[in-house]
Amino acid sequence: MTTHENRSHTDHTHQAAEDAGAPRPGSLELGRLPDGTRQGGYGPETQSPWKSRPYHHPAAGWGAAMAVGKVVMRQRLPIVATKSMFTMNHPVRGYDCPGCAWPDDPGVTLDICENGIKHVTWEMTRKRVDAEFFAAHTVSELAEWTDHALEDQGRLTEPMAYDGAVDRYVPISWDDAFALVGSELRALDSPDQAAFYTSGRLSNEASFLYQLMAREYGTNNLPDCSNMCHEASGRALTASLATGKGTADLEDWAQCDALFILGVNAASNAPRMLTSLAEAVDRGAQVVHVNPLVEAGATRTIVPHEILDMARFKTTATGTDTLQVRSGGDMALIRGMAKVVFEAAETDPGALDHEFLAKYTDGLEEYRALVEATEWDQLVAQSGLSETQIRRAGRIYLDSQRTVISWCLGVTQHEHSVDAIREIVNLLLLRGNIGRPGTGPSPVRGHSNVQGNRTCGIDHNPGEAFLQRLDEVCGITSPRTHGLDTVHTIAGMHAGDVKVFVGMGGNFVRAAPDTVFTAEGLRRCHLTVQVSTKLNRGHLVHGRKALILPCLGRTELDRQRTGPQGITTEDAMSSVQLSNGHRTPASEHLLSEPAIIAGIARATLPGSRTPWEDYVDDYDRIRDVMSRVLPGFEGFNRLVRQPYGFRIPQPARERDFRTPSGRAEFSRAPLHDVLPDDADVLVLQTMRSHDQWNTTIYSNDDRYRGVKNIRELILMNAKDMRDRGLSEGDRVDIVATCRDGSQRSVRGFRALEYNVPRGCAAGYMPEMNVLIGAADYSTQSDQPLMKDIRVRVSRSA
C-alpha cells in the first residue's frame, strides 16, 4: 500500500487483461476489450496498460500544444485546423467555439484552447456516416460498439429513419421526415405528451424558434441540459437578486482584489479562464480555489498565447490558496466566512457596507442572528476544513475591496445547492460586492450557448411577463401550465405519459442520470427524433419509430435563400455575439437547425400563421422578432454586428433589484448536514476527464489527473482505501443506495489513490451515471445529484 505522496515517485502500470469483469449485455454496454475485459468505459477500446501518477506540469502550455498537434494530425486537418484557430472566438468575422461558454477576449488574437481545438476538429472530420454505412450495420450491431467508436465514424450526411423490419436506419427525404414528426405530434391526445429537449449547442435564433414552435403547439415541455447543470444557479440568483445570471463580466474579473473559485475544473472545462486567473495573480489579487480535488488549473499555467512565456517555459501561478472542502461543504465554508465578517464588524465599522445594506438589502438582521448562532464546530465538521482555514478565507475576503465569487457544478449538483448559492450571494452583500466594478457573483456555464437557450425562452417554467410578450408579438396563445424538466421528462417517458421525444442536439441517454431507467423511457416512446451532427448512443436507444436528422455544424457555411446567415450565442457573462461559419458543409443534404425546426413546425401546425419559411430565408427576421420579445435585445441586428456584440443589460448589475421587496434578499436557510450517517459510506462525485467534452470522449486519458488508458475507476483517499483493505489498482464494486431505497452498482472498477478528503470519492461521467437513481434529484432545483452519490466500495469478488 502506498500513499498519494510516495506515489509521486511511482508509475503504477497494470495489464488490462487481468481479472476480467463480467460484461453487461445490450446497447448500454460499457466499453469492452475483445477478450471481455473492461477499462476504457465509454471511451475507445484499448489493450494498452493503464497508468496513474500525479501530474506535476503546468496547465496548458506545451502539454496542451502537443495535445492539439496530435489531435489535428489524427484528424488529418493541419491546414484547416490552423486557419480555424485565427477565426474561432472572433465574432462577426468568425465563429463561436462550440465548446465552453467562457467569454471571448478582444485583446487576444489566438483566443483558443486545447479542448476547443479538439471539439472543432472532431466536428470538421473528413469521415462520413452515410446511407451506405447504415446499410452495412444493424442497430443491434452498432449497439455493441463503444461510444467513442460511434462518434469516431464521422459526420452524419442525410436524414435517416429506423426500419424495425431490418433493424437498420434507412434513408428518408426531409419532407417525409417532417411529415412523420408532424403526423405523430398531431395524433397525440395532448401536446403535453411530447417533450422538446435542448442541448447547449443550439443558437439563440434556433432556441427562439424551437420554444415558439413548442408553445404554439401547446406545451411548455422544454427540458434542457441546464436542468442538469446550473438550474440551481438560476433559481438562487433569481430569488436573491431577481436575475437568473451572474452580474460579473471579464472586466470585473480584471479589476477584483479577491477571486474565489468554487467547484470549478478550469483547465479542462473552461481552459481560457486560466488567462484570467494568471493575470489576477500577477497583479497581486488573491485567488482562492475551493474544491475537493486540487485540479491542475488551481496551480500554475503557461498561457499559450504568451509566446515569450512559452519559449522560456515561464509558468504563472493560477492560485494563491486552495481549500479542499468535503463534497457539499461549500455552504459551511461560506457561512464561516460570513461569521468572520460579523465578528470583525463588532470592532471595525468598515467590515460591513452599512450604506449599501441599508439602501439595497432586506433581511440582514435575521441573517446575522442565524450566522452568529452557528457554532464553529458545526462549520468545521460540515466543510471538512479547520477553523484556521475558514478564518483565513474570511480574512482574505475582509481585506479585499472588490471581490468576485465564481462557481460551477461542484456547487450546483447537490441537494441543497440553491441554499449554498444564496449563501454566496449573502456573503457578497455584506460588503457591497454587487453592482460595482470588480465585484459580483459569476457562475461558470458549461456549453457554449446554454445560457442563451434560457434567455431565448427554453424554459419549462416560464414567467408570465415573457409569455404575454411572446403571445402579443407572435400572435399565438402560449400554454400557462408548467412543463416538464429533464428528470420529470424521463419519468414521463417511463410512465407512458410522454410519447414523442425530440432532442435538439446532445446525447440524452448518456447525459441523463439513471442510464437504464432513461433508456427504458426512450424505448417506450412512439417516436424519438434526434437532431445531430454525429452518431451517438442516443440514436441506438430509440422509440418504436425513430429519426436521425443531421444538421450543420457551428463551423460550416449556412446559406439560405437570401444568402449566407450568421447565428448568435450568449456567453457565461451575458455577452451576445455573432457567429459565422465558413467551411463547406459536410454534406449537401444537411439543414440548419432553424430550417429543421421550421420544417417540423410547418408539418405539425399546417394552419400556423407564423412565417416559418420567411424566418429560415433570413435570420435577421428572427432577430427582429426577438428584439420585440426579449428585454435588452432592442436593436438586436444592429448591436450584434458591433465588434464582440453587446452585453445584455441587467437591472441587478445597476443595483436595481426587482424582487418582491425591491431589494436584494438575504436568505436564511439552515446549515444542512452533508455527512453520511454511516462512516462506511462515501460521497461520490461524477466529473469529466480532461480528454472529454460532455458525453464526447476523445481518449481514455486524463492528463491533468495523471491517469492514462483507463476510465472505469474511482479516485479515493488513501486512508479510506486502507480502511477497506484496498491497494492501488484493486478491482472494486461500487454500490449506491438511492433515495427510494433501491440499489445500483458498477463492478470491476479500479480503485486509485488520489488527493481527496476523507469520506469523498470521484469518478467519471457518463460511466457512473448509472449509479444515480430516478429519485436522486434535488428538491430545491430538480437537478440530478451528480456530486452527491452515496456509495459503498468493496473489493470485487
Side-chain angles (χ1 to χ4, degrees):
M1 178 70 185
T2 56
T3 66
H4 176 74
E5 286 73 19
N6 59 39
R7 274 203 320 118
S8 64
H9 304 293
T10 306
D11 181 0
H12 293 279
T13 303
H14 299 256
Q15 294 301 317
E18 178 190 349
D19 49 354
R24 287 183 288 279
S27 61
L28 296 176
E29 174 79 57
L30 294 178
R32 293 172 296 107
L33 296 174
D35 62 0
T37 61
R38 296 179 284 115
Q39 69 183 41
Y42 297 154
E45 291 187 351
T46 177
Q47 290 182 305
S48 299
W50 64 268
K51 301 178 182 179
S52 174
R53 56 183 176 184
Y55 186 80
H56 296 299
H57 305 289
W62 286 106
M66 288 188 288
V68 165
K70 291 178 181 178
V71 169
V72 169
M73 295 310 296
R74 190 183 307 134
Q75 295 295 336
R76 301 177 182 177
L77 296 169
I79 297 175
V80 171
T82 301
K83 289 175 62 178
S84 74
M85 294 179 192
F86 290 92
T87 56
M88 188 193 305
N89 297 321
H90 288 282
V92 183
R93 70 179 176 87
Y95 63 92
D96 189 47
C97 175
C100 80
W102 189 252
D104 301 333
D105 189 337
V108 177
T109 300
L110 284 172
D111 194 12
I112 58 174
C113 70
E114 173 189 348
N115 282 357
I117 296 297
K118 290 176 186 173
H119 201 74
V120 167
T121 54
W122 196 245
E123 177 180 293
M124 295 192 303
T125 178
R126 302 183 191 279
K127 301 176 184 178
R128 299 291 181 263
V129 177
D130 52 18
E132 187 175 327
F133 171 88
F134 283 110
H137 304 286
T138 65
V139 169
S140 296
E141 176 196 344
L142 292 173
E144 296 300 315
W145 293 19
T146 66
D147 290 62
H148 175 273
L150 293 173
E151 290 200 41
D152 195 40
Q153 299 312 301
R155 291 288 300 278
L156 297 161
T157 61
E158 59 188 297
M160 307 294 293
Y162 180 68
D163 183 346
V166 295
D167 189 31
R168 282 179 169 86
Y169 277 99
V170 298
I172 186 173
S173 70
W174 278 108
D175 286 344
D176 287 347
F178 294 146
L180 174 59
V181 181
S183 65
E184 290 289 331
L185 289 174
R186 293 196 308 275
L188 296 177
D189 296 330
S190 164
D192 289 330
Q193 291 180 330
F196 300 90
Y197 175 76
T198 313
S199 85
R201 62 155 287 137
L202 205 62
S203 69
N204 288 328
E205 292 75 16
S207 295
F208 185 80
L209 290 187
Y210 197 45
Q211 62 84 33
L212 176 61
M213 176 191 72
R215 293 193 166 105
E216 185 172 351
Y217 173 62
T219 186
N220 283 316
N221 288 351
L222 287 158
D224 72 317
C225 57
S226 183
N227 298 150
M228 295 183 277
C229 299
H230 269 287
E231 188 71 34
S233 298
R235 296 190 187 190
L237 292 170
T238 297
S240 294
L241 306 174
T243 179
K245 309 173 185 181
T247 63
D249 63 13
L250 271 187
E251 281 297 310
D252 295 316
W253 279 58
Q255 296 178 42
C256 66
D257 304 311
L259 181 57
F260 290 86
I261 312 290
L262 283 67
V264 178
N265 177 13
S268 295
N269 298 346
R272 290 181 295 140
M273 183 198 295
L274 295 173
T275 300
S276 294
L277 298 178
E279 289 174 350
V281 173
D282 262 354
R283 70 170 184 273
Q286 296 294 306
V287 178
V288 181
H289 294 268
V290 179
N291 202 319
L293 284 69
V294 180
E295 302 284 18
T299 57
R300 56 201 174 100
T301 186
I302 301 177
V303 178
H305 60 254
E306 297 292 345
I307 304 302
L308 289 178
D309 288 353
M310 287 282 284
R312 296 180 295 163
F313 294 87
K314 180 180 181 296
T315 65
T316 304
T318 52
T320 57
D321 201 357
T322 296
L323 298 173
Q324 286 185 265
V325 294
R326 71 169 66 254
S327 187
D330 306 273
M331 183 176 177
L333 165 63
I334 298 298
R335 180 156 295 181
M337 293 170 64
K339 194 173 182 71
V340 171
V341 173
F342 281 124
E343 289 176 356
E346 295 176 5
T347 57
D348 178 6
L352 297 172
D353 188 334
H354 295 282
E355 181 180 354
F356 172 83
L357 291 167
K359 186 175 181 181
Y360 293 109
T361 71
D362 183 63
L364 171 64
E365 292 309 318
E366 294 89 340
Y367 178 63
R368 187 202 302 262
L370 182 67
V371 172
E372 291 176 347
T374 307
E375 301 293 337
W376 275 107
D377 286 351
Q378 187 182 8
L379 294 169
V380 168
Q382 295 300 320
S383 68
L385 301 170
S386 68
E387 181 177 340
T388 299
Q389 289 175 303
I390 299 173
R391 286 189 176 278
R392 185 172 73 241
R395 174 45 59 183
I396 290 172
Y397 181 66
L398 275 169
D399 290 342
S400 169
Q401 295 302 308
R402 298 175 299 276
T403 300
V404 170
I405 301 182
S406 183
W407 67 91
C408 198
L409 305 192
V411 174
T412 66
Q413 291 180 328
H414 294 271
E415 166 58 35
H416 304 294
S417 50
V418 171
D419 286 343
I421 296 164
R422 293 201 67 184
E423 195 77 14
I424 290 171
V425 177
N426 287 349
L427 181 63
L428 289 169
L429 292 175
L430 293 180
R431 292 179 53 77
N433 278 309
I434 292 178
R436 59 188 178 88
T439 69
S442 186
V444 180
R445 307 283 182 172
H447 217 153
S448 67
N449 198 44
V450 65
Q451 185 160 301
N453 295 163
R454 185 58 57 89
T455 298
C456 297
I458 302 296
D459 190 347
H460 64 282
N461 186 16
E464 178 60 25
F466 169 79
L467 293 179
Q468 286 183 2
R469 191 66 178 155
L470 182 70
D471 290 355
E472 177 185 338
V473 172
C474 297
I476 67 171
T477 301
S478 299
R480 262 49 180 186
T481 54
H482 291 180
L484 300 177
D485 62 7
T486 293
V487 298
H488 292 97
T489 292
I490 296 169
M493 291 190 296
H494 208 271
D497 298 328
V498 173
K499 302 178 185 301
V500 174
F501 176 86
V502 181
M504 192 60 63
N507 184 356
F508 188 77
V509 72
R510 284 304 190 214
D514 203 336
T515 312
V516 174
F517 189 81
T518 300
E520 289 172 350
L522 286 164
R523 290 190 177 112
R524 292 178 182 179
C525 288
H526 294 180
L527 172 69
T528 53
V529 181
Q530 304 287 349
V531 178
S532 311
T533 57
K534 303 188 85 173
L535 188 64
N536 66 47
R537 186 67 53 183
H539 303 129
L540 312 178
V541 181
H542 55 75
R544 299 172 198 168
K545 299 177 182 178
L547 290 170
I548 300 174
L549 304 182
C551 64
L552 293 171
R554 187 78 61 81
T555 62
E556 292 172 323
L557 177 66
D558 182 355
R559 184 178 293 277
Q560 301 297 340
R561 191 184 301 273
T562 61
Q565 305 296 314
I567 53 92
T568 64
T569 59
E570 179 185 345
D571 64 32
M573 297 181 183
S574 301
S575 290
V576 179
Q577 51 276 317
L578 190 64
S579 176
N580 286 288
H582 296 289
R583 279 182 54 78
T584 300
S587 165
E588 63 180 347
H589 303 297
L590 301 183
L591 294 184
S592 70
E593 290 161 334
I596 294 173
I597 294 166
I600 293 174
R602 182 57 73 196
T604 304
L605 306 165
S608 172
R609 292 182 295 174
T610 300
W612 299 105
E613 293 82 5
D614 290 346
Y615 289 158
V616 176
D617 288 347
D618 188 345
Y619 297 174
D620 277 359
R621 296 167 186 167
I622 308 174
R623 288 187 282 268
D624 282 340
V625 176
M626 294 169 71
S627 71
R628 297 162 57 200
V629 175
L630 305 176
F633 280 71
E634 297 81 4
F636 190 5
N637 274 309
R638 174 182 55 82
L639 292 174
V640 82
R641 285 178 167 84
Q642 299 175 141
Y644 290 90
F646 67 101
R647 192 183 193 283
I648 303 170
Q650 283 179 284
R653 186 173 164 85
E654 308 303 322
R655 295 187 167 180
D656 178 4
F657 303 112
R658 300 182 181 181
T659 62
S661 70
R663 293 165 173 258
E665 299 279 358
F666 277 96
S667 65
R668 297 178 289 279
L671 184 62
H672 304 286
D673 186 358
V674 300
L675 304 179
D677 294 332
D678 189 334
D680 189 46
V681 172
L682 302 178
V683 179
L684 171 71
Q685 69 172 55
T686 65
M687 60 191 185
R688 298 188 302 211
S689 74
H690 180 66
D691 220 9
Q692 175 182 356
W693 183 253
N694 293 339
T695 58
T696 295
I697 300 165
Y698 303 113
S699 81
N700 298 320
D701 300 342
D702 192 351
R703 185 172 79 248
Y704 290 147
R705 296 188 181 108
V707 172
K708 188 175 181 62
N709 292 324
I710 184 170
R711 288 186 57 84
E712 292 187 322
L713 57 76
I714 181 171
L715 304 180
M716 297 175 61
N717 178 280
K719 292 181 180 178
D720 286 334
M721 288 182 63
R722 187 161 58 245
D723 289 347
R724 291 158 178 79
L726 300 175
S727 298
E728 177 78 351
D730 280 352
R731 294 266 191 186
V732 295
D733 298 339
I734 307 165
V735 180
T737 301
C738 305
R739 285 184 167 182
D740 59 7
S742 62
Q743 290 190 332
R744 288 159 175 76
S745 64
V746 293
R747 303 190 182 280
F749 277 47
R750 300 280 186 184
L752 303 183
E753 296 176 11
Y754 205 80
N755 183 11
V756 295
R758 290 209 69 180
C760 300
Y764 297 129
M765 64 81 67
E767 284 85 350
M768 285 187 163
N769 287 6
V770 69
L771 296 174
I772 307 166
D776 294 338
Y777 60 89
S778 166
T779 57
Q780 295 188 340
S781 67
D782 293 322
Q783 284 187 232
L785 301 178
M786 293 179 171
K787 298 289 189 293
D788 190 14
I789 310 169
R790 306 302 171 99
V791 302
R792 297 178 189 271
V793 180
S794 60
R795 187 190 303 275
S796 295

